[in-house]
Structure formats: structure tokens, C-alpha cells
């Protein structure tokens, strides 16, 4: 077999090269969130891989760590191993914008059109419940992660887009969903004064959360490692094959050797198709940008208490959260780099920025808000997200593969759904129950129909980034 040298530092035969190419780069670019690495960032619980684990989880981000936490806390699981290609929480979870913002009306009409009003409402209600569950677990476990409950403000600066947004809002109100009582919508001259955004034509607000995602996940890592979960960082998985006939289960091959697993959970999001090629067109790695903006130390930051989704007059979308230190975390701007596909689409290199968009946020706060003259980008980074063909995550038993589970494809929207999704995943694994008994939204279930629809469809017909490849992205 031909030997191939790869960007992640490993050497593979041609038989596994496709897998290796879908692994994270060894050295990601620096982020604000990870200026100080947690002591367990590169932790290995044992010097060697365990020979066997009842449950092997691939990926030590939000989905993988969340699943392990629920297995340990809810089911007292004793034999769990997490295999991570690089450091714990080094992927999209540790590189995103820290925005825990439920989607109450944005994509919900699309889901309603596909599967009926109740299917759409399930997702909105699930995301609201997820935010409440996050607040509860952070309080119970005393997690220091700067979690806040706030109002999230949607802003439209384009007149036509504002009218369309109001029509969507009116449609959702007409459905009489109780959760819409939390949404307030404004139009006209009052929009700029209420939102604080220059040139706003409409705005809406509802309850959301913000947090320091890396601190949240690494606190959970500390808890599960203390409880006995075997964490093996810097251990990329290159294949999962049926185990020996006399043992059953699976043989998991990594860069550091092999181990046996009773069950396998694929929680590696953007990279899942490297091991499960049937998801190649279902979950596509897409890069985005995010940054931290500060004012000079001599200047006090104007007070911003809300988080934001801002859409400029040319419909470039950015998401934003304020921090207690006066800095701003902001990202998105996909419209700026949409046509440079090689820089972001099906691209797993988070060690480099998206060149065509790296300067977009240099004067963003000055352009958008009053009182931010002199603001500058303090740190900017990229992140790799897993975008699904139909915009819904894939959760459940991999079709045709008993005892193999997937929890991936979060479309840059994982913060509002992963916590309770991982709880449902743990229930499926520990209680051996079907997806339908987990309480997860029906549209999240991975199915052969969804897989085939993506494999047989055209990329431009999918919902990657919202409409084909046309909507906003965020790490």
C-alpha cells in the first residue's frame, strides 16, 4: 500500500488516507477561550490504551464529554473511554462564540413545512429546555464558566429582510406556541433606539444565555475523569471494524494502537465522515471565524447587556456576546467569504484564518454601535463545524450498525442542543431504548432516508449553511 504523509502529522496507507484527511490538524490556531489551558487538556488517564472498554466515545468536545457525564452520573457506567484526536475541547466547542441561543422562529418554519407544526415546535421547546438544563447543571456542579441569562436581540438593517422577519414572527404567533410569549418584535424608528444598532429597521428579543464554553466542558472533564472515565487525548481514531468473532463488539484502531469496544459513539462532529463514509455528504466540515474585540485600557466600554444576532444592510450576519470584562466576542460574516469555498467548505484546517474575511471585524463595533471608537480586534481565530445536509443534527444508532451511535452535525448551533441531546444519547446506550423513547426532537434522528437523500442529492440543494451554501456560519 502507498504511504501518505498528512497534515495532522501521521502517516497512513492509502486504505486509511480518507480517514486521516478528515482528522483535525495537530496544532490549531490560538483562541481567546484557551489562553490558559486546563491541566487536563492533554490528559491521558493511562499510559497505554485500555485493552477493552464497554463504551468508547470518539471526541472530547461538548457531545462526547456530555455523553460520558450522563453515562456516569445517570447510569453509574464503569467502563467508558474517550478517544480525542488532539487536546480535550480543542475543536469547535472550545472555539465558538459562547452563545447559548435557542432558535424560536428562525429555522422553525422550515421544519414546520417539512414535517408539520408540532415537529417544528419540538425543536424550539427542546432548545428552551436545554438552556434551562444548562443553568441547572452549572448551579448544581458549581461550574465557573461565566454563565449568564440575558436577552438575545435579533437585528435587521435591511428593509426587505426586516419585513420578511416580521412575517415569520407573525406566522409563529398565529400558531399559538406558548414559547412565543417570550418574544418581543419591534419595527420602524424605535428599532435603532431599542437595539442600539445603527440603522436597525427591525429587532426582536427573547431569553438566551452566554458562557465560557471551554471552562464549562473542562469542568465536566474533571468530574468524569475523577469518576473513572479513561480519557486519551492526542489519540486520533482511524478506523472502527467488527471485533473478533469470539468477542464481538468492535476493534478501534488509533494512531497509538488498537483497543476493543462493546459500543462506539461517534461524537466527532465535523470529522465523522472520515470513519463513517456514508455521512460524507450528510455532515460537511465548514470553517468559520470568531474574534475578541476590546477598547483601549483607558476607555470604559459602553454597556451592552444583551447578546446579538446582527444583519447588516447587505445581509451579512454576525453573532455577538458581551463579556463582563468589557470585551466583545463576535463572529460569523459568512457572506464575506461565501464565494471562496476552498477556504471554508469541506476544510478542516483551523490553524489558519479565512483569508478573505480576516479583516472584516477590524472596525465592526464602530460601524455597528455608538461609543466604540478605538475598538480593535484583540484575538481572532477559526473553527471547524459540522454542517448537515438538511440542517438537523444526526443522533441515534447508525443505520445498519447495531451498537454504533452518532451524535454529530450541529450546524454551528450545538450550544443550544447538545446538553440534552447527550443525555438522550446516554439513555439509548445505557437502557438500550430506541430513539423514540428519548424525548429528542423527531427531526434529529439519523435515518437511512436522510443519509440517502444527501448522498443522492446535489450539494446546492441541501441546507448547508441554511440555504445551499448561502447562509451564515459561526465557529
Amino acid at each position: 500500500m502507498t504511504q501518505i504523509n498528512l497534515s495532522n502529522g501521521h502517516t497512513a496507507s492509502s486504505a486509511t488516507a480518507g480517514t486521516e484527511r478528515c482528522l483535525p490538524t495537530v496544532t490549531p490556531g490560538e483562541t481567546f477561550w484557551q489562553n490558559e489551558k486546563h491541566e487536563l487538556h492533554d490528559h491521558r488517564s493511562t499510559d497505554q490504551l485500555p485493552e477493552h472498554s464497554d463504551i468508547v466515545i470518539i471526541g472530547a468536545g461538548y457531545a462526547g464529554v456530555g455523553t460520558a457525564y450522563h453515562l456516569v452520573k445517570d447510569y453509574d457506567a464503569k467502563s467508558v473511554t474517550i478517544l480525542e484526536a488532539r487536546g480535550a475541547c480543542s475543536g469547535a466547542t472550545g472555539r465558538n462564540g459562547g452563545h447559548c441561543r435557542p432558535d424560536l422562529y428562525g429555522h422553525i418554519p422550515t421544519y414546520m413545512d417539512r414535517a408539520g407544526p408540532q415537529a417544528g415546535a419540538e425543536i424550539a421547546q427542546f432548545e428552551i429546555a436545554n438552556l434551562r438544563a444548562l443553568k441547572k447543571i452549572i448551579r448544581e456542579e458549581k461550574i465557573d464558566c461565566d454563565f449568564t441569562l440575558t436577552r438575545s436581540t435579533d437585528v435587521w438593517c435591511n428593509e426587505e429582510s426586516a419585513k420578511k422577519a416580521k412575517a415569520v414572527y407573525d406566522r409563529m404567533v398565529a400558531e399559538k406556541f406558548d414559547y412565543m410569549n417570550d418574544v418581543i418584535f419591534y419595527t420602524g424608528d424605535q428599532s435603532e433606539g431599542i437595539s442600539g444598532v445603527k440603522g436597525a429597521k427591525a429587532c426582536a428579543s427573547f431569553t438566551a444565555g452566554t458562557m465560557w464554553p471551554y471552562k464549562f466542558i473542562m469542568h465536566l472533564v474533571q468530574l468524569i475523569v475523577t469518576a473513572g472515565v479513561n480519557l486519551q487525548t492526542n489519540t486520533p481514531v482511524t478506523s472502527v471494524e467488527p471485533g473478533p468473532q469470539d468477542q464481538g463488539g468492535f476493534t478501534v484502531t488509533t494512531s497509538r494502537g488498537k483497543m476493543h469496544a462493546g459500543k462506539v459513539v461517534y461524537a466527532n462532529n465535523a470529522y465523522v465522515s472520515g470513519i463513517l463514509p456514508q455521512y460524507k455528504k450528510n455532515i460537511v466540515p465548514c470553517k468559520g471565524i470568531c474574534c475578541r474585540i476590546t477598547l483601549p485600557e483607558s476607555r470604559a466600554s459602553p454597556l451592552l447587556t444583551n447578546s446579538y444576532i446582527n444583519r447588516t444592510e447587505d445581509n451579512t450576519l454576525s453573532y455577538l456576546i458581551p463579556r463582563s470584562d468589557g470585551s466583545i466576542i463576535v463572529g460569523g460574516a459568512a457572506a464575506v467569504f461565501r464565494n471562496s469555498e476552498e477556504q471554508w467548505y469541506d476544510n478542516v484546517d483551523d490553524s489558519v484564518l479565512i483569508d478573505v474575511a480576516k479583516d472584516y471585524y477590524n472596525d465592526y463595533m464602530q460601524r455597528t454601535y455608538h461609543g466604540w471608537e478605538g475598538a480593535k480586534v484583540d484575538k481572532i481565530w477559526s473553527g471547524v463545524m459540522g454542517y448537515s445536509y438538511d440542517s438537523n443534527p444526526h443522533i441515534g444508532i447508525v443505520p445498519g450498525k447495531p451498537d454504533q451511535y452518532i451524535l454529530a452535525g450541529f450546524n454551528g448551533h450545538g450550544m443550544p442542543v447538545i446538553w440534552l441531546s447527550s443525555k438522550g444519547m446516554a439513555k439509548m446506550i445505557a437502557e438500550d431504548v430506541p430513539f423514540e423513547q428519548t424525548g429528542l426532537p423527531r427531526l434529529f434522528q439519523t435515518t437511512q432516508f436522510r443519509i440517502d437523500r444527501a448522498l443522492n442529492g446535489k450539494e446546492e440543494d441541501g441546507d448547508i449553511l441554511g440555504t445551499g451554501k448561502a447562509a451564515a456560519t459561526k465557529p
Side-chain angles (χ1 to χ4, degrees), residues 60-377:
Y62 195 175
V65 171
T67 300
Y69 175 89
H70 289 298
L71 284 168
V72 169
K73 286 288 186 174
D74 299 345
Y75 299 100
D76 198 27
K78 300 297 186 184
S79 178
V80 179
T81 297
I82 300 180
L83 303 175
E84 167 57 47
R86 50 190 191 190
C89 197
S90 62
T93 307
R95 311 179 69 79
N96 67 29
H99 206 180
C100 307
R101 177 184 181 275
D103 177 13
L104 304 190
Y105 49 77
H107 283 92
I108 303 303
T110 299
Y111 306 142
M112 291 166 55
D113 291 342
R114 289 176 182 170
Q118 188 54 43
E122 280 178 0
I123 294 177
Q125 291 162 349
F126 180 78
E127 295 188 11
I128 293 168
N130 191 86
L131 179 61
R132 293 170 179 164
L134 278 175
K135 180 179 182 292
K136 182 174 183 287
I137 196 65
I138 288 168
R139 182 185 70 247
E140 289 178 349
E141 296 288 9
K142 298 179 174 59
I143 302 176
D144 179 12
C145 62
D146 295 356
F147 179 80
T148 63
L149 278 183
T150 185
R151 298 292 288 182
S152 183
T153 303
D154 270 345
V155 181
W156 293 266
C157 294
N158 177 281
E159 191 73 54
E160 187 62 29
S161 296
K163 291 178 180 177
K164 291 179 180 178
K166 181 59 163 60
V168 169
Y169 168 79
D170 289 341
R171 176 185 175 185
M172 298 305 294
V173 170
E175 291 288 347
K176 301 187 185 305
F177 297 140
D178 288 343
Y179 69 79
M180 287 298 293
N181 291 328
D182 187 44
V183 183
I184 306 174
F185 202 102
Y186 302 93
T187 58
D189 295 341
Q190 60 183 338
S191 301
E192 183 170 337
I194 290 170
S195 68
V197 174
K198 296 177 181 179
K201 305 301 183 187
C203 66
S205 76
F206 55 88
T207 303
T210 67
M211 71 190 315
W212 191 312
Y214 181 71
K215 285 186 176 181
F216 172 64
I217 296 301
M218 293 311 297
H219 190 109
L220 295 178
V221 168
Q222 183 84 62
L223 293 174
I224 62 176
V225 167
T226 300
V229 171
N230 190 312
L231 173 62
Q232 296 289 329
T233 63
N234 301 296
T235 307
V237 174
T238 55
S239 70
V240 176
E241 303 292 341
Q245 281 190 334
D246 60 336
Q247 288 183 280
F250 307 95
T251 297
V252 180
T253 301
T254 80
S255 63
R256 296 172 51 227
K258 300 181 178 182
M259 66 174 296
H260 183 262
K263 297 181 178 181
V264 177
V265 181
Y266 300 90
N268 50 341
N269 202 26
Y271 310 97
V272 71
S273 66
I275 312 174
L276 293 175
Q278 60 267 54
Y279 287 93
K280 175 64 177 174
K281 290 178 66 176
N282 281 268
I283 301 175
V284 180
C286 296
K287 284 175 60 173
I289 59 170
C290 192
C291 67
R292 178 178 184 248
I293 295 177
T294 61
L295 278 171
E297 291 185 6
S298 59
R299 290 272 318 277
S301 301
L303 180 64
L304 286 180
T305 57
N306 296 344
S307 68
Y308 283 86
I309 297 289
N310 291 330
R311 301 164 185 83
T312 62
E313 188 173 3
D314 66 358
N315 283 321
T316 299
L317 184 150
S318 296
Y319 59 92
L320 178 153
I321 70 166
R323 289 192 31 77
S324 59
D325 62 5
S327 67
I328 300 296
I329 304 294
V330 60
V336 177
F337 56 81
R338 182 180 301 147
N339 293 328
S340 302
E341 287 189 11
E342 74 285 352
Q343 293 192 32
W344 65 272
Y345 183 77
D346 204 9
N347 185 325
V348 298
D349 189 358
D350 57 8
S351 67
V352 297
L353 296 173
I354 299 173
D355 186 64
V356 295
K358 66 183 180 182
D359 297 325
Y360 178 78
Y361 287 111
N362 285 349
D363 60 349
Y364 178 79
M365 294 303 290
Q366 296 93 314
R367 297 195 314 264
T368 309
Y369 298 92
H370 297 283
W372 283 86
E373 290 71 24
K376 64 178 182 178
V377 173

